[in-house]
């Protein structure tokens, strides 16, 4: 972590649904309204302050939190199976092939109050899993992304997760 506020990616992996999508739900055709609407990516950022009173300040606890989030995401994808699929722009179909959601784990040297206080929109881009303006729907792109970034200064962790297409 070289400079204040710099973000370093630690790992990337695909999180797959905890159970496979039933065969009769493998393809979801977009509605006519969805087909004529230009692709829009909705980025969400949630900031959570670490609860030091409950002992969530060690790296072991951070690893447990990350593992729990991955497991929860896997279970959730079973209910929202299109999010783990691929979009085919030619047929306007989401193929629910259980490819998974890209999960990115990162760390940033910053304090939560410094990140959110008087921040400009462009400054939040480094906390997103993909460039919101450069991303586009393609067959190869994951349909959804999730990122967990630990904000650490002087050993105090902070967490946020974000982004689905």
């Amino acid at each position: 972590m070289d400079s204040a506020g710099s973000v370093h990616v630690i790992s990337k992996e695909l999180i797959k649904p905890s159970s496979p999508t039933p065969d009769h739900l493998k393809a979801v055709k977009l509605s006519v309204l969805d087909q004529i609407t230009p692709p829009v990516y909705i980025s969400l950022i949630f900031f959570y302050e670490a609860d030091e009173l409950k002992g969530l300040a060690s790296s072991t606890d951070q690893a447990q939190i990350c593992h729990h989030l991955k497991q929860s995401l896997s279970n959730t994808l079973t209910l929202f199976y299109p999010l783990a699929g691929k979009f085919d722009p030619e047929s306007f179909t989401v193929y629910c092939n259980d490819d998974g959601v890209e999960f990115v784990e990162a760390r940033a040297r910053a304090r939560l109050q410094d990140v959110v206080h008087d921040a400009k929109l462009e400054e939040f881009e480094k906390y997103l899993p993909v460039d919101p303006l450069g991303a586009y729907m393609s067959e190869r792109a994951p349909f959804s992304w999730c990122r967990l970034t630990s904000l650490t200064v002087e050993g105090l962790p902070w967490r946020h997760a974000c982004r689905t297409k």
Side-chain angles (χ1 to χ4, degrees):
M1 293 180 205
D2 316 319
S3 61
S6 62
V7 177
H8 299 279
V9 172
I10 297 168
S11 66
K12 290 182 181 183
E13 70 178 280
L14 285 175
I15 305 298
K16 298 184 181 287
S18 58
S19 61
T21 302
D23 288 336
H24 69 284
L25 299 173
K26 289 280 188 189
V28 177
K29 182 89 167 157
L30 295 184
S31 72
V32 173
L33 285 175
D34 289 329
Q35 292 179 32
I36 63 173
T37 303
V40 176
Y41 290 83
I42 299 172
S43 298
L44 300 173
I45 297 180
F46 300 99
F47 292 95
Y48 299 98
E49 195 168 337
D51 189 346
E52 294 174 50
L53 297 175
K54 292 184 179 175
L56 297 178
S58 74
S59 61
T60 304
D61 292 326
Q62 290 178 14
Q64 288 174 344
I65 290 170
C66 187
H67 175 75
H68 183 73
L69 285 173
K70 289 177 186 179
Q71 191 172 32
S72 295
L73 179 58
S74 178
N75 292 336
T76 301
L77 291 174
T78 300
L79 302 172
F80 300 98
Y81 47 89
L83 295 178
K86 296 285 186 205
F87 175 68
D88 179 7
E90 290 181 19
S91 66
F92 295 103
T93 302
V94 176
Y95 290 102
C96 308
N97 55 8
D98 299 334
D99 274 1
V101 169
E102 185 170 295
F103 186 93
V104 180
E105 185 179 5
R107 290 212 175 95
R109 183 181 168 135
R111 294 183 314 164
L112 182 61
Q113 62 260 28
D114 296 336
V115 171
V116 298
H117 183 69
D118 294 329
K120 295 184 172 84
L121 188 58
E122 313 83 61
E123 294 174 17
F124 286 114
E125 288 180 7
K126 64 184 168 185
Y127 298 104
L128 298 174
V130 294
D131 177 4
L133 300 176
Y136 61 93
M137 285 191 167
S138 76
E139 284 184 58
R140 289 175 233 97
F143 200 68
S144 300
W145 290 272
C146 183
R147 180 168 177 158
L148 173 69
T149 302
S150 297
L151 304 178
T152 58
V153 166
E154 299 171 7
L156 300 175
W158 308 92
R159 299 199 163 269
H160 78 272
C162 65
R163 185 105 160 76
T164 60
K165 279 195 212 182

